[in-house]
Amino acid sequence: MNAPRPDNPAPDRTAPTRRRFLKEMAGAAGGACLVSMGVGLVATEASARPATALRPPGALAEPDFLAACVRCGLCVRDCPYDTLKLSKLGDNVATGTPYFDARAIPCEMCEDIPCVVACPTGALDHELTDIGEARMGLAVLIDQETCLNFLGLRCDVCYRVCPAIDKAITLELMHNPRSDRHAMLLPTVHSDACTGCGKCEHACVLPEAAIKVLPHKLAQGQAADHYRKGWEEKARAGGSLIGDQTQLPMRGLEDRQYGDTRVAPDYTPAAPGGLNSGWKP
Amino acid sequence: MTTTTGTETPIPSRRPAIERPGHEAVEVKGWLRAHKWLLLRRLSQFGILGLFLAGPWLGIWIVKGNLSSSLTLDLLPLTDPFLFLQSIAAGTPPYKEAALGAAIVLAFYLLVGGRVFCSWVCPMNIVTDAAAWLRRRLGLKGGKVPSATTRYWLLAFSLVMAALTGSLAWEWVNPVSMLHRGLIFGFGLSWGIVLGVFLYDLLIASRGWCGHLCPMGAFYGLLGKPSLLRVSATKRSACNDCMDCFAVCPEPQVIRPALKAAGQAHPVILDKDCTNCGRCIDVCSKDVFRLTTRIDRSES
């Protein structure tokens, strides 16, 4: 295309040609480098994912997932419940990657896990064959002020819909200090069984769910490696690890077993008030 | 690139020819024969798109997925080798299904020409062809065209970026995969990027995207360098210098060596940038070009 002008014979044309060539190359390389750096920045900046966007079952850890997923949508196609969506530009999830919003459509936890089977790149780990082992996120009862069970009611919906009922969510019986004579059954999530399917969040009867599925990074703390629980260590060792402790006498409790400070059932405190709050139905 | 069109002396009678290249071929060969390859190409492009859309639109699941990776008839896996390469650069160990799919695609384009993807499959081609057509019809000249080597640099840097960021960095902005995915899975805001490419090609750079910037095209170009299927200017002696082939060719620099024996003796277009679109065959009233193999170096 860049044919030399015929009216300019220029006996030695190599030098200017080479100069122009180098200039053009430098321009192209520089431009391409700038564009790529911009793209790289955008990619890094935008790799933060909103907490409500959950990855399909078996998804690799987010950085590995973003490296492996080719954005083909085969998992989305094989999802029988239209749970999975491919993100569009503007969804704030890496463009073209699959995700689901538990509040909209939760994961139904198919036993054959078709989305994982469909993945051609291993971005969804094919080692996952038991959907109960999936960890899409972790349910967190995030707002105890609005949760109906925390208000003393028996809503229990999140507990009832949980596919791993009594394992991933249990109801823990607690004394209701407000009424003083009722129980509260508090939905409690257990990370060892919760798959993050999101059925609890989907089913929460409140206008804004009090229980939400969050990525593990947000939902979970991590104990330091060197922490030990004394009672576990004691049980494992079959006795105290620091030898027998000196037992000092306690005044007034000399007739009790060492460490037993429980108040007797028939004990009534001398001062008025006490345990009776005076509540009337 | 711009200087060439600028230095041409504007002969008034030539203008319609440049704006409507191929009108002579239509007169000589008839409209249908003068658009044969174009029609076949559009058929291929829309046909492939139709196969992908038949599932979500009509519930007929022949092909699932998109051009990045797909499954045909629950049997044939196909994966874009450029994406596969990016994901390896990003640090993913190659997975067998994706590798098999990429190998099939690779073998196919090695045979028929890498940039056959660009002209016969890629949906962006319809957008940029439309921009080029409109640019010709409106007689828009000038603009700022980046060097055609920019795409190879972009290709290299897109892989470097994948390695540095550990993610498919280019796929955050890749208009090609975005357009195809958008058509099948919904656009979101990515139609804006497609519109950007159209306007860029129309107003700023003639054939700017496909011919100068797209790293995907660059990849397929490099891939198809040794490919078998080629266009040849077999009857170049009949050439009447009407320039119609240059006007329609998305990579006009590939024609000269073959047609004018510049730097090579044989008439086969061996440049990696040639997309085998066959438009030069269509618009030539003298039937200079034909589709053949790289081995066939005959002239008539």
Side-chain angles (χ1 to χ4, degrees):
Chain A
M1 284 305 283
N2 295 316
R5 278 158 292 182
D7 54 338
N8 180 15
D12 181 24
R13 279 203 306 261
T14 47
T17 310
R18 186 188 301 147
R19 196 175 303 150
R20 199 177 54 195
F21 172 78
L22 287 175
K23 214 170 124 186
E24 199 183 288
M25 271 314 208
C33 185
L34 272 180
V35 170
S36 320
M37 269 164 66
V39 168
L41 278 178
V42 169
T44 316
E45 175 90 357
S47 58
R49 172 167 52 108
T52 48
L54 301 170
R55 292 296 184 200
L60 305 174
E62 191 68 7
D64 296 336
F65 182 79
L66 287 179
C69 173
V70 294
R71 291 113 163 107
C72 67
L74 283 172
C75 53
V76 175
R77 285 290 176 246
D78 281 5
C79 175
Y81 298 98
D82 287 338
T83 300
L84 294 177
K85 293 183 284 189
L86 266 201
S87 92
K88 307 177 183 81
L89 195 67
D91 285 353
N92 290 327
V93 180
T95 316
T97 55
Y99 75 101
F100 73 99
D101 177 0
R103 187 65 168 166
I105 312 178
C107 173
E108 295 287 341
M109 288 174 61
C110 313
E111 278 184 15
D112 50 349
I113 332 182
C115 50
V116 172
V117 176
C119 180
T121 64
L124 305 181
D125 191 354
H126 287 234
E127 298 285 302
L128 181 77
T129 46
D130 173 10
I131 188 67
E133 299 294 320
R135 292 293 178 268
M136 297 169 262
L138 181 62
V140 181
L141 206 156
I142 206 161
D143 188 6
Q144 306 186 348
E145 290 178 335
T146 50
C147 172
L148 296 180
N149 275 39
F150 268 83
L151 296 178
L153 293 158
R154 286 300 303 277
C155 163
D156 298 359
V157 166
C158 56
Y159 165 76
R160 300 270 165 217
V161 298
C162 179
I165 186 169
D166 281 325
K167 289 196 280 292
I169 302 184
T170 56
L171 291 178
E172 299 295 324
L173 192 70
M174 294 276 276
H175 174 69
N176 184 340
R178 185 180 55 80
S179 74
D180 199 30
R181 61 187 58 189
H182 296 93
M184 298 190 297
L185 288 104
L186 305 182
T188 307
V189 180
H190 303 277
S191 64
D192 57 342
C194 176
T195 62
C197 71
K199 297 208 82 167
C200 52
E201 180 179 342
H202 177 67
C204 180
V205 299
L206 300 179
E208 182 72 46
I211 189 164
K212 289 188 164 84
V213 178
L214 301 175
H216 283 89
K217 180 96 179 131
L218 286 182
Q220 249 179 331
Q222 190 187 18
D225 285 342
H226 64 283
Y227 284 10
R228 299 286 180 272
K229 289 169 184 155
W231 55 93
E232 282 176 6
E233 296 300 317
K234 189 175 171 184
R236 195 174 303 142
S240 173
L241 295 168
I242 52 171
D244 289 333
Q245 291 166 64
T246 321
Q247 297 185 3
L248 295 170
M250 290 177 83
R251 190 177 301 156
L253 296 172
E254 289 87 354
D255 54 332
R256 302 276 190 86
Q257 209 187 343
Y258 180 74
D260 182 6
T261 56
R262 284 175 298 176
V263 176
D266 54 348
Y267 173 82
T268 38
L275 284 177
N276 189 348
S277 64
W279 185 85
K280 296 269 186 313
Chain B
M1 305 289 143
T2 42
T3 50
T4 330
T5 40
T7 50
E8 248 171 75
T9 11
I11 308 163
S13 61
R14 294 283 303 162
R15 281 195 63 96
I18 295 301
E19 283 163 25
R20 316 188 69 156
H23 76 292
E24 206 183 324
V26 173
E27 279 164 25
V28 176
K29 304 196 284 189
W31 191 90
L32 209 59
R33 264 198 65 215
H35 290 83
K36 179 178 138 194
W37 291 99
L38 181 67
L39 290 174
L40 283 174
R41 219 151 50 78
R42 294 285 177 257
L43 197 69
S44 157
Q45 287 164 339
F46 284 109
I48 290 166
L49 199 57
L51 285 176
F52 277 103
L53 285 172
W57 285 8
L58 309 170
I60 305 166
W61 294 101
I62 303 165
V63 185
K64 278 192 285 195
N66 58 36
L67 284 178
S68 303
S69 191
S70 65
L71 190 63
T72 305
L73 295 170
D74 284 324
L75 187 75
L76 175 70
L78 295 174
T79 299
D80 184 342
F82 177 50
L83 262 155
F84 185 64
L85 194 66
Q86 278 187 74
S87 101
I88 288 175
T92 309
Y95 198 78
K96 58 175 192 300
E97 278 166 52
L100 176 66
I104 295 172
V105 173
L106 214 72
F108 176 73
Y109 286 121
L110 267 176
L111 198 68
V112 302
R115 296 207 63 199
V116 161
F117 169 79
C118 301
S119 56
W120 291 78
V121 178
C122 180
M124 190 57 90
N125 177 268
I126 302 166
V127 175
T128 56
D129 268 1
W133 176 83
L134 196 61
R135 193 180 161 90
R136 267 200 313 268
R137 293 303 294 265
L138 295 177
L140 298 177
K141 300 272 188 248
K144 180 94 184 82
V145 188
S147 159
T149 52
T150 311
R151 52 185 149 180
Y152 297 103
W153 289 106
L154 265 178
L155 171 62
F157 285 124
S158 68
L159 294 175
V160 170
M161 272 304 140
L164 285 181
T165 61
S167 74
L168 306 187
W170 183 250
E171 292 310 305
W172 293 78
V173 292
N174 187 352
V176 176
S177 49
M178 237 174 226
L179 171 59
H180 194 250
R181 199 166 53 230
L183 287 166
I184 294 163
F185 288 93
F187 266 108
L189 298 174
S190 46
W191 61 267
I193 288 193
V194 178
L195 181 68
V197 169
F198 178 79
L199 292 177
Y200 178 72
D201 266 26
L202 178 67
L203 304 173
I204 300 173
S206 166
R207 298 283 180 186
W209 175 255
C210 299
H212 299 80
L213 295 181
C214 180
M216 213 156 161
F219 173 83
Y220 278 104
L222 289 174
L223 166 70
K225 200 166 164 41
S227 74
L228 192 65
L229 202 65
R230 294 288 168 177
V231 174
S232 172
T234 314
K235 270 161 62 179
R236 58 185 173 185
S237 51
C239 174
N240 62 355
D241 294 333
C242 75
M243 296 290 284
D244 279 1
C245 54
F246 283 96
V248 291
C249 182
E251 304 277 358
Q253 77 278 10
V254 308
I255 298 179
R256 217 173 82 89
L259 186 63
K260 295 294 164 196
Q264 69 178 49
H266 59 84
V268 185
I269 297 175
L270 288 179
D271 197 297
K272 61 185 181 308
D273 292 338
C274 174
T275 68
N276 278 359
C277 70
R279 196 71 185 110
C280 53
I281 308 176
D282 277 348
V283 299
C284 184
S285 59
K286 302 288 178 196
D287 277 330
V288 166
F289 300 94
R290 68 190 184 90
L291 201 63
T292 178
T293 64
R294 67 184 303 134
I295 306 151
D296 170 26
R297 307 216 161 159
S298 63
E299 229 179 300
S300 59

